[in-house]
Amino acid sequence: MTEGNNSGGYEQPVIKSGYAGLFAIWLIPLLALVIAGWLVFKSVYDKGPEISITLPSAKGMEAGKTPLKYRDVVIGVVDRIVIPDEQDQVDVIVSVNKESRKYLTDTARFWVVAPAIGLEGISGLDTLLSGSYLEIDPGAGGEAAYEFEGLENPPVISSTVPGREYLLRTGSLGNIQRGSPVIYRGLQVGKVLGHRLALNNQSIEIIAFVEDPYTNLVTTKTRFWDAGAVNVRVSTSGVDIGASSFSALLSGAIEFASLRSDGPAGIAESGQEFYLFTGRSAMEEARYTHRVPFVLYFDGSVSGLEVGAPVEFKGIQIGTVRDISLQLEHNSGEYAIPVVINIEPQRIRVKADPTLPNDPATSQNARRRALESLIKRGLRARLKSNNFLTGQLIVDLDLFPEREARYYAEGSDIPEIPTLPTELEEITTSLTKLIEKVEKMPIDRLSISLTETAEGLQEIITEGQITETIKEIRGVAKSVTSIIGKVDKETLPRINEAVDDGRKTLAEIDKTLNNASTLFKTADNTLADGSPLKYDLSIMLRELAAASRSVRNLAEFLERNPSSLLSGKK
């Protein structure tokens, strides 16, 4: 056994000299430290930015669980919720993924998605199980931002939807609200983004959004109206109540159209301002921009006549009532009710001279001259009931050339159209005059006479004269009936026979006349100039004339010489 290799039966450990042993001891901790540092670096490197969203409340949100989504993709999570001092709001701190940093600009919008029930329907039902979450709309992009004001309600239109915004101005908001649809021919093409009170506090400004490609339908002359209003129209056929649709009636709606009568126009730019009419009828009435005022003076009641009531001629509306007032004379106390109407010449088609230029000024002059011609021909105005149920009155214009024109204000700035009382007033006046005449009649004396007459009749009836007279009349009636029966049975057949004989006689006469006519024609032809018979007759007549002269000479000779009968002519 060797001593150097075996000491006491155990092998001695080999001790290496230098830094190798020390490195081996610290290698594993160093590796752990490097890995931890890498993990920390990677964690810091991969961590996205933190943003602060100020919201009215943190209802439904939980730190570490509530996600931030964009198009249903989680891009962050709520890290913590802070309540600032002396503020009624909360700051929600959200850790956003590094890849989503590009969405954090000053145009981004944030809101809380939670279950909600509105006029447009139910939204956010998926959050009943998953819980509320934050949603982001990145917007069009801009400067980087990390602090935001959250929206109380989700935006109506996402910033990714192409389209244009328009400003609609109206006097009253009605039932239009945020999210109300914008309709074109019944098709929804946009929504109402919001509304606000104008700076002058005199109107309401509504921001309407129309999606592409429907923005090409909005021109500078497009007309918008409230399609959610209830249209009530009273006419002679009754009361007509209508609305664009039931949904529009509930949630409000705005409809628009471009009228052909407005002529061509360019496409409206974003931000173009329009007037919002209260309804379709108001929009259609606005087409008539040219109005010619006339004044009418009534002395009867105008109850039932309102500003805006139609003015009709032969049942066709040609204008509206503009103003109604009361006019009193301070000295005499006489009164009149001047009613100013607007005749809208654009409602009237005038057949103008084709040689005149076709421009608006010439057309207006032609319409004005036509109205003046009607007034000269006897145009009169009178109030007329438009509906017996509501008592609504309208101004009815018609031609009454036989009625005298009554003018109240000579030289007025506004042309005057003479008026007539209403038909009811005329009937009332006639009845009043009739009653006055009746009152003037001697009613007492007439009553006494009638009483006496009745008493006389009573006496006659009592004495039986009437009964006898009735019997005699019945007898006469029977006789007449008998005579009529005889006439029917006896006389009429004979008359028929006589009529038949007369007809036959007339036929014979007609035949004879025809023959005579033929004979006359033949004689006329026979005796016509140049006929042989006429020639022979002429010769015979001349010979007869010569013979007659000879006989006359002979007679005269014998008369002078009667002895020549015995002695012969010497």
Side-chain angles (χ1 to χ4, degrees), residues 172-207:
S172 176
L173 182 61
N175 63 343
I176 297 173
Q177 53 189 321
R178 185 172 177 272
S180 294
V182 178
I183 299 171
Y184 179 77
R185 294 181 181 271
L187 176 66
Q188 181 173 345
V189 297
K191 288 185 177 180
V192 173
L193 300 183
H195 51 77
R196 58 177 179 257
L197 184 64
L199 294 178
N200 59 1
N201 299 330
Q202 299 299 317
S203 62
I204 300 294
E205 296 177 346
I206 300 173
I207 296 91

Side-chain angles (χ1 to χ4, degrees), residues 117-130:
I117 300 176
L119 294 176
E120 295 179 328
I122 302 174
S123 61
L125 283 179
D126 55 334
T127 60
L128 289 174
L129 300 176
S130 62

Side-chain angles (χ1 to χ4, degrees), residues 220-533:
T220 55
K221 294 184 179 179
T222 293
R223 298 174 186 269
F224 290 81
W225 68 89
D226 185 357
V230 178
N231 300 317
V232 180
R233 184 176 183 180
V234 181
S235 62
T236 54
S237 59
V239 181
D240 184 16
I241 302 176
S244 177
S245 64
F246 183 70
S247 60
L249 189 62
L250 291 179
S251 61
I254 292 176
E255 191 166 0
F256 69 90
S258 297
L259 304 181
R260 293 181 178 178
S261 57
D262 292 336
I267 303 299
E269 298 294 336
S270 181
Q272 175 83 32
E273 182 176 337
F274 297 92
Y275 181 78
L276 179 66
F277 295 95
T278 55
R280 186 181 183 90
S281 58
M283 182 274 296
E284 292 177 346
E285 292 294 327
R287 291 182 299 170
Y288 308 109
T289 56
H290 181 55
R291 296 177 175 85
V292 180
F294 288 90
V295 63
L296 320 173
Y297 287 90
F298 294 99
D299 51 7
S301 174
V302 296
S303 177
L305 182 67
E306 298 178 351
V307 174
V311 177
E312 296 184 352
F313 176 73
K314 299 290 186 182
I316 299 175
Q317 183 175 355
I318 61 172
T320 55
V321 175
R322 193 181 78 178
D323 183 64
I324 305 172
S325 59
L326 177 63
Q327 179 178 303
L328 289 174
E329 293 290 341
H330 65 281
N331 292 327
S332 61
E334 295 182 354
Y335 70 91
I337 302 175
V339 176
V340 180
I341 63 172
N342 281 332
I343 300 296
E344 296 160 347
Q346 291 166 310
R347 294 177 181 269
I348 306 171
R349 307 174 77 180
V350 177
K351 189 177 181 181
D353 188 351
T355 59
L356 297 177
N358 186 15
D359 53 57
T362 305
S363 300
Q364 291 180 11
N365 292 332
R367 293 188 182 102
R368 187 183 66 254
R369 289 195 299 272
L371 287 174
E372 293 173 352
S373 175
L374 282 177
I375 294 175
K376 292 179 180 177
R377 291 180 55 194
L379 186 68
R380 305 288 185 267
R382 74 191 319 173
L383 298 179
K384 178 181 176 183
S385 176
N386 192 36
N387 190 288
F388 290 104
L389 296 177
T390 62
Q392 184 186 24
L393 295 179
I394 65 172
V395 176
D396 184 39
L397 300 179
D398 208 337
L399 297 176
F400 295 93
E402 72 282 358
R403 304 294 292 272
E404 182 183 0
R406 298 185 304 163
Y407 291 94
Y408 283 84
E410 297 289 345
S412 174
D413 295 335
I414 303 177
E416 180 182 352
I417 296 178
T419 60
L420 297 175
T422 64
E423 295 179 351
L424 182 60
E425 289 175 344
E426 290 182 344
I427 294 173
T428 304
T429 303
S430 299
L431 289 176
T432 303
K433 292 180 179 178
L434 178 61
I435 291 172
E436 290 176 354
K437 291 181 179 178
V438 171
E439 288 177 348
K440 293 179 181 178
M441 294 176 65
I443 302 298
D444 295 337
R445 286 189 295 173
L446 289 175
S447 299
I448 294 172
S449 300
L450 287 174
T451 303
E452 292 176 353
T453 303
E455 290 175 353
L457 290 173
Q458 182 65 29
E459 291 178 356
I460 294 172
I461 293 171
T462 304
E463 292 176 356
Q465 297 179 5
I466 296 295
T467 305
E468 293 178 358
T469 304
I470 292 173
K471 289 181 180 179
E472 292 177 357
I473 292 173
R474 286 179 177 175
V476 172
K478 289 181 180 178
S479 300
V480 171
T481 304
S482 177
I483 292 171
I484 292 173
K486 290 181 179 179
V487 168
D488 290 338
K489 293 179 180 179
E490 300 176 3
T491 307
L492 288 180
R494 293 178 181 177
I495 292 174
N496 291 334
E497 292 176 358
V499 169
D500 293 338
D501 293 340
R503 288 176 180 174
K504 292 178 181 178
T505 304
L506 290 175
E508 292 296 334
I509 293 171
D510 184 64
K511 185 177 179 180
T512 303
L513 290 175
N514 291 332
N515 294 334
S517 177
T518 304
L519 178 62
F520 289 148
K521 288 181 180 179
T522 304
D524 185 63
N525 294 332
T526 304
L527 298 175
D529 294 339
S531 62
L533 180 59

